[in-house]
């Protein structure tokens, strides 16, 4: 999937911009706080209907304004054009359109424009609670499995209702009904998480070996009570404790991903460089799974590329993603000279944009394929 044009109005610190984008690597350079990440977030918005930064829609509106609009014009691997428009108003809420037609449910859009983002915020997958890692799994799998997304939404709704009932100590027969629903949706979610984690495992190990020069071994494990026994049995056994605690103490809402390096927890024993390399390997593995599952190479977003990585590892990463397995790439960095030097050495086709105070200027178009050639090709 390729994003040909990106239009923004009142999005964060950007008043109004339209970018014509490169088929290969699109580099956004500028000082910290200039708005580079905002451009990346706009691309993510068009894929996932929300910010990658866990911001509310209202927080994405430019100060002093009442709405924002983001629009992308795409070309798929099958040469099909798509126009996606996401608008949010403080008065009317969020509207998402595909080729001019409004979606009835935002969840129906997830998966149409696959995207994978690597950013400094990913460190939360290592340092934060299990909830953050479950959120990652949900976002990843939802792009590929719409019934999974529906199951997660239903599970959360039933869980909230069961927790409410536990506070008033309801009749056991009522809890049985909710337990059956939790078991049904939870078992479906557990099966999908197990499948996709198993698909990620060998890819994470392979990409990490490439990025690290084969220096350490890493592991990705899915931790769940349902790995050992059926959910219905777990709920039945935990009910006395649930009634005392007045909330559901067991279930897939307590699942976790275990990240290891050399057999030890990555959080405790991995250096900053090792942790960053693991996260990049995880996202590249995600990319490979999504591409194989959908037949579309996702858009790859590399935000603040040099964060915790030296130049040699960045160059190794760029050489890794320049092959046919990867498609369009977006990169942000604060040093245009450094980034241009590495891209010139790797021989990549790229366009360079300068971002400053919410304004975007084209510094250079692709060296091998001009933007006008791309537009002609897509018509």
């Amino acid at each position: 999937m390729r994003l040909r044009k990106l239009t923004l109005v009142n999005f964060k610190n950007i008043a109004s911009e339209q970018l014509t984008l490169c088929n290969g690597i699109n580099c956004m350079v500028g000082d910290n706080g200039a708005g580079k990440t905002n451009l990346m977030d706009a691309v993510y918005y068009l894929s996932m209907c929300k910010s990658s930064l866990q911001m509310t829609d209202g927080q994405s509106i430019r100060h002093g304004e009442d709405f924002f609009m983001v629009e992308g014009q795409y070309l798929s691997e099958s040469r099909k054009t798509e126009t996606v428009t996401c608008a949010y108003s403080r008065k009317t809420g969020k509207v998402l359109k595909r080729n001019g037609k409004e979606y009835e449910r935002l969840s129906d859009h997830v998966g149409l424009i696959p995207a994978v983002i690597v950013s400094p915020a990913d460190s939360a997958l290592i340092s934060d609670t299990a909830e953050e890692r479950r959120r990652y799994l949900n976002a990843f799998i939802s792009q590929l499995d719409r019934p999974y997304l529906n199951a997660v939404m239903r599970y959360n709704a039933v869980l909230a209702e069961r927790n409410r009932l536990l506070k008033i100590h309801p009749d056991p027969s009522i809890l049985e009904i909710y337990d059956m629903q939790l078991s049904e949706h939870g078992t479906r979610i557990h099966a999908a998480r197990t499948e996709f984690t198993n698909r990620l495992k060998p890819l994470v190990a392979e990409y990490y070996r490439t990025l690290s020069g084969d220096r350490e071994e890493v592991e990705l494990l899915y931790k769940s009570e349902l790995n050992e026994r059926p959910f219905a049995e777990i709920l039945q056994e935990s009910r006395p404790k649930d009634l005392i605690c007045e909330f559901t103490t067991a279930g897939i809402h307590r699942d976790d991903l275990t990240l290891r390096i050399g057999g030890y927890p990555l959080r405790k024993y991995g250096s900053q460089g090792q942790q960053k390399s693991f996260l990049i390997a995880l996202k590249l593995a995600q990319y490979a799974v999504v591409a194989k599952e959908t037949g579309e190479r996702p858009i790859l977003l590399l935000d603040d590329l040099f964060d915790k990585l030296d130049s040699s590892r960045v160059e190794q990463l760029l050489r890794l993603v320049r092959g046919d397995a990867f498609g369009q790439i977006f990169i942000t960095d604060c040093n245009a000279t450094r980034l241009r030097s590495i891209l010139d050495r790797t021989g990549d086709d790229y366009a360079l944009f300068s971002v400053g105070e919410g304004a975007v200027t084209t510094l250079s178009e692709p060296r091998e394929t001009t933007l006008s050639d791309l537009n002609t090709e897509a018509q």
Side-chain angles (χ1 to χ4, degrees):
M1 186 67 73
R2 287 185 278 167
L3 177 58
R4 296 166 58 202
K5 286 188 178 180
L6 177 65
T7 303
L8 304 95
V9 178
N10 296 333
F11 187 75
K12 299 189 177 181
N13 73 329
I14 301 171
S16 179
E17 287 289 349
Q18 184 175 85
L19 284 70
T20 302
L21 299 162
C22 165
N23 183 38
I25 299 178
N26 295 276
C27 309
M28 315 297 174
V29 296
D31 295 335
N32 291 330
K36 306 184 301 295
T37 296
N38 294 342
L39 291 172
M40 303 283 267
D41 204 32
V43 178
Y44 188 87
Y45 239 108
L46 291 171
S47 290
M48 300 300 292
C49 314
K50 62 181 181 179
S51 171
S52 65
L53 304 173
Q54 296 187 32
M55 299 175 65
T56 66
D57 295 317
Q59 290 172 325
S60 295
I61 298 177
R62 187 167 179 259
H63 291 309
E65 303 294 340
D66 294 322
F67 77 98
F68 76 75
M69 188 278 291
V70 181
E71 181 174 274
Q73 297 179 19
Y74 297 86
L75 185 68
S76 72
E77 303 280 358
S78 60
R79 320 296 298 164
K80 183 179 179 181
T81 59
E82 298 277 1
T83 299
V84 178
T85 307
C86 182
Y88 176 79
S89 166
R90 298 190 194 279
K91 294 181 179 179
T92 59
K94 182 156 55 181
V95 175
L96 187 71
K97 295 182 179 180
R98 175 186 179 187
N99 300 325
K101 183 178 180 181
E102 183 178 345
Y103 281 96
E104 293 184 5
R105 299 184 306 173
L106 297 179
S107 60
D108 290 340
H109 174 71
V110 176
L112 176 69
I113 311 291
V116 174
I117 186 168
V118 179
S119 79
D122 292 334
S123 61
L125 290 173
I126 297 173
S127 61
D128 283 9
T129 64
E131 181 180 1
E132 190 68 31
R133 290 179 286 278
R134 289 193 300 272
R135 185 180 293 116
Y136 163 73
L137 277 177
N138 289 341
F140 161 41
I141 300 172
S142 294
Q143 291 192 67
L144 306 175
D145 186 345
R146 188 158 294 147
Y148 175 87
L149 178 57
N150 292 332
V152 170
M153 295 168 65
R154 289 296 306 138
Y155 182 93
N156 289 336
V158 175
L159 179 65
E161 186 63 19
R162 187 179 192 270
N163 286 341
R164 187 188 69 81
L165 289 172
L166 285 169
K167 296 181 185 301
I168 61 175
H169 294 261
D171 186 285
S173 61
I174 300 178
L175 278 179
E176 284 292 343
I177 297 173
Y178 286 100
D179 286 2
M180 289 175 60
Q181 295 179 14
L182 276 187
S183 180
E184 176 187 353
H185 300 306
T187 300
R188 167 77 178 82
I189 293 166
H190 174 263
R193 288 177 178 175
T194 300
E195 176 193 350
F196 282 101
T197 302
N198 287 338
R199 292 174 66 175
L200 288 173
K201 281 181 186 179
L203 294 169
V204 170
E206 177 184 346
Y207 282 124
Y208 187 89
R209 281 195 297 269
T210 301
L211 291 170
S212 67
D214 204 18
R215 287 195 287 267
E216 310 97 8
E217 291 188 1
V218 295
E219 292 179 282
L220 179 70
L221 303 172
Y222 175 42
K223 181 181 177 182
S224 175
E225 295 168 290
L226 276 69
N227 290 346
E228 306 297 330
R229 51 197 177 129
F231 196 7
E233 181 180 323
I234 293 171
L235 286 170
Q236 185 64 39
E237 184 177 305
S238 65
R239 185 179 297 180
K241 182 179 179 182
D242 294 351
L243 289 167
I244 294 173
C245 296
E246 297 186 342
F247 65 88
T248 307
T249 61
I252 58 98
H253 56 284
R254 298 170 59 87
D255 289 356
D256 198 0
L257 278 178
T258 300
L259 317 179
R260 291 181 179 172
I261 183 167
Y264 297 96
L266 181 66
R267 179 178 180 177
K268 292 183 178 180
Y269 293 92
S271 67
Q272 288 189 337
Q274 289 170 329
Q275 291 180 2
K276 178 76 173 188
S277 295
F278 188 105
L279 292 171
I280 292 174
L282 175 62
K283 293 303 186 73
L284 294 183
Q286 175 187 341
Y287 186 104
V289 172
V290 173
K292 184 175 182 180
E293 192 78 12
T294 65
E296 288 282 350
R297 291 175 295 179
I299 295 171
L300 182 60
L301 306 169
L302 302 174
D303 190 22
D304 200 358
L305 183 59
F306 283 83
D307 175 58
K308 299 182 178 64
L309 286 182
D310 56 35
S311 295
S312 61
R313 289 209 182 196
V314 170
E315 186 168 340
Q316 181 65 21
L317 171 61
L318 292 177
R319 291 186 184 281
L320 181 62
V321 300
R322 63 181 294 198
D324 291 339
F326 292 86
Q328 190 179 38
I329 299 171
F330 289 77
I331 294 174
T332 69
D333 187 33
C334 60
N335 190 322
T337 302
R338 173 177 63 185
L339 186 56
R340 193 197 297 264
S341 174
I342 291 177
L343 289 169
D344 285 340
R345 289 200 301 273
T346 59
D348 288 298
D349 172 29
Y350 67 89
L352 198 62
F353 301 89
S354 174
V355 185
E357 297 182 355
V360 184
T361 304
T362 302
L363 296 181
S364 67
E365 295 186 351
R367 294 179 295 114
E368 299 177 4
T369 305
T370 66
L371 295 171
S372 59
D373 289 339
L374 284 174
N375 291 336
T376 301
E377 171 194 356
Q379 292 173 353

